[in-house]
Amino acid sequence: LYALQPETGAIGWTVNTGGFVTSSPAIGADGTIYVGSASGRMYAVNPQGGVLWTFLAGDGIDSSPAIASDGTIYFGCDDRTFYALTPEGALKWRFPTGGRIFASPAIGSDGTVYVGTGDQRLYAISPEGTLRWSYFTNGDIQSSPVLGADGTIYFASTDANFYALNPTGDDDSRVKWKTDIRATTASTAAVRGDGVIIFGADDDKVRALNPADG
């Protein structure tokens, strides 16, 4: 993990994590930096480059961590488990899934955590670590979900569809819409101020979708 000086790009400090760093770091309100490694450890590093603590998961960590308003650190792991840690690095809970987790989680306004996995499901997990609901697609979910202003969950699946799911309601009303994008790999989307959803895909195209109907 590298810290670069903003004025010159010079290296301020480095931390050796013992394995490839394929996820992005997250920075807490107090400046603590959290990053996972292929070594299977989640690191907490202070702004001066000192390691505050490490947490050993069951396999490599490709999922970038997300930080809740109470400081809880959420991340997925290649061991098919989703983790929640306290700001001090203690395990709050773990949630088993049926597939490896490459995607990063998104946190809703009510604290619900959303994450996609290699078992072709999008999971909605409560802040206490219990399942609220899950939605099955016909492909792995490798990109991270993003949330619209109204709480709609947007994500792509390797089944070549892009989904918009309602955060509430029953299974019959879960799908707001889905659109065939004719591409099996898509990036994590960005939601513009007017709600338009923008993402790139492996067919060399960038798409902008209407939030009303896809």
Side-chain angles (χ1 to χ4, degrees):
L1 176 69
Y2 290 85
L4 304 184
Q5 298 293 340
E7 298 85 1
T8 64
I11 295 174
W13 48 258
T14 64
V15 172
N16 189 331
T17 67
F20 293 119
V21 178
T22 57
S23 66
S24 301
I27 302 176
D30 64 353
T32 300
I33 304 135
Y34 303 97
V35 69
S37 166
S39 67
R41 291 188 178 274
M42 177 61 63
Y43 284 78
V45 182
N46 68 28
Q48 292 74 44
V51 176
L52 300 174
W53 52 258
T54 67
F55 175 86
L56 181 62
D59 206 338
I61 301 169
D62 295 304
S63 168
S64 301
I67 306 171
S69 57
D70 65 355
T72 299
I73 303 116
Y74 297 112
F75 65 94
C77 184
D78 291 351
D79 67 355
R80 304 182 179 188
T81 303
F82 189 74
Y83 291 86
L85 306 183
T86 69
E88 296 75 34
L91 178 68
K92 289 184 72 171
W93 49 259
R94 65 183 77 202
F95 181 90
T97 70
R100 297 170 66 184
I101 305 173
F102 299 104
S104 302
I107 304 172
S109 59
D110 64 351
T112 301
V113 188
Y114 303 98
V115 68
T117 75
D119 65 0
Q120 306 181 356
R121 289 187 178 275
L122 191 285
Y123 288 89
I125 306 169
S126 76
E128 295 74 38
T130 59
L131 177 67
R132 287 191 165 158
W133 53 263
S134 69
Y135 179 79
F136 180 78
T137 71
N138 288 311
D140 294 352
I141 302 171
Q142 299 177 354
S143 60
S144 305
V146 294
L147 306 181
D150 61 354
T152 300
I153 306 122
Y154 300 111
F155 65 95
S157 169
T158 58
D159 67 0
N161 285 304
F162 191 92
Y163 290 84
L165 302 186
N166 290 308
T168 58
D170 57 23
D171 290 344
D172 292 336
S173 61
R174 184 70 60 207
V175 180
K176 187 174 180 181
W177 49 257
K178 69 176 181 177
T179 296
D180 183 359
I181 60 173
R182 297 183 175 86
T184 57
T185 304
S187 72
T188 297
V191 181
R192 207 166 61 183
D194 60 0
V196 171
I197 307 112
I198 303 172
F199 60 92
D202 63 359
D203 61 353
D204 304 331
K205 293 179 180 179
V206 173
R207 288 171 172 79
L209 302 186
N210 186 326
D213 57 10

